[in-house]
Amino acid sequence: DVVMTQSPLSLPVTLGQPASISCRSSQSLVYSDGNTYLNWFQQRPGQSPRRLIYKVSNRDSGVPDRFSGSGSGTDFTLKISRVEAEDVGVYYCMQGTYWPRTFGQGTKLEIK
Amino acid sequence: EVQLVESGGGLVQPGGSLRLSCAASGFTFSNYAMHWVRQAPGKGLEYISAITSNGGSTSYADSVKGRFTISRDNSQNTLSLQLGSLRTEDTAVYYCARGGNYDYWGQGTLVTVSS
């Protein structure tokens, strides 16, 4: 199985400051169709996960533009330009290239 | 509006069975593969099972293979997961999710396996 490794696992951030989460895969996530199926999800306390980013850098509908994704191959990053209170929760990366689908361990973002 | 609503969770003894359902609305259900993902209390997300749009192909995580069965009824817009030979480590919130990259999730249903 493809192992997804996130860092940091805990991320205290001051309101209005940027935040960055790293996700590394144990093998390249480039699929045979040329796409890279790397997704980012946000799970607020007590809620279901919500997809924020798909195919590395595409924001889902309704996702604020302060969220951005980047990377290629095996190294990926989720960035929040200015953290707001509603961003508190756990963030997961997930690869959709291989079977079985696998998730990172999750990064817990909290307000400092 | 896309909606996925899970049901069927509850308390079951080790070795018991349970059937979960996911009612889909707001999209053409028969056009999408569907997945089940679970989350143990205080833990991360784990892929469990998937089924193709026409139900012709299924897959399972090793942790549930031979014990869980995924199915779908495209005429009723319903996804199901039959859980069998349940173990305490199967205790989790079970989510259904749309497509191979999980663009929509349900609210989840809690399965507790305990004596």
Side-chain angles (χ1 to χ4, degrees):
Chain A
D1 298 359
V2 175
V3 177
M4 305 296 289
T5 303
Q6 288 182 228
S7 63
L9 300 185
S10 178
L11 184 57
V13 184
T14 300
L15 285 173
Q17 292 301 301
S20 179
I21 301 170
S22 171
C23 175
R24 290 184 172 172
S25 57
S26 59
Q27 56 193 113
S28 172
L29 299 185
V30 179
Y31 189 53
S32 55
D33 64 2
N35 289 308
T36 301
Y37 294 98
L38 185 284
N39 307 281
W40 288 97
F41 298 89
Q42 174 195 61
Q43 188 174 31
R44 291 170 170 153
Q47 295 188 12
S48 304
R50 165 201 183 196
R51 196 176 71 177
L52 299 175
I53 302 285
Y54 63 97
K55 287 194 286 186
V56 181
S57 60
N58 297 274
R59 269 191 307 275
D60 274 279
S61 175
V63 175
D65 61 7
R66 64 179 182 275
F67 289 92
S68 65
S70 64
S72 63
T74 60
D75 287 347
F76 305 94
T77 303
L78 175 70
K79 290 184 179 177
I80 309 173
S81 58
R82 293 172 307 279
V83 169
E84 298 188 5
E86 66 178 17
D87 299 335
V88 165
V90 181
Y91 292 80
Y92 297 92
C93 61
M94 186 210 86
Q95 64 83 15
T97 298
Y98 300 99
W99 291 95
R101 303 296 193 243
T102 46
F103 293 87
Q105 316 97 299
T107 295
K108 186 174 185 178
L109 186 149
E110 62 179 23
I111 303 302
K112 208 185 287 183
Chain B
E1 178 195 3
V2 172
Q3 283 202 320
L4 298 171
V5 179
E6 301 93 338
S7 60
L11 174 63
V12 60
Q13 292 188 337
S17 300
L18 211 56
R19 187 175 184 87
L20 308 183
S21 295
C22 169
S25 61
F27 65 102
T28 304
F29 181 68
S30 58
N31 286 352
Y32 289 85
M34 296 295 294
H35 289 224
W36 287 97
V37 177
R38 71 183 179 184
Q39 185 171 37
K43 302 297 185 182
L45 300 167
E46 179 190 15
Y47 157 82
I48 290 301
S49 183
I51 188 166
T52 54
S53 57
N54 65 1
S57 182
T58 59
S59 69
Y60 300 91
D62 288 344
S63 57
V64 306
K65 201 172 293 183
R67 300 188 300 120
F68 291 7
T69 302
I70 191 172
S71 62
R72 67 189 297 160
D73 183 342
N74 285 346
S75 68
Q76 298 291 319
N77 293 342
T78 301
L79 174 72
S80 298
L81 187 68
Q82 180 70 40
L83 286 60
S85 301
L86 282 162
R87 306 166 180 166
T88 55
E89 56 264 35
D90 294 319
T91 293
V93 174
Y94 286 73
Y95 298 100
C96 60
R98 190 179 81 163
N101 286 280
Y102 307 169
D103 57 354
Y104 288 93
W105 298 61
Q107 87 288 350
T109 187
L110 175 62
V111 173
T112 304
V113 184
S114 174
S115 54

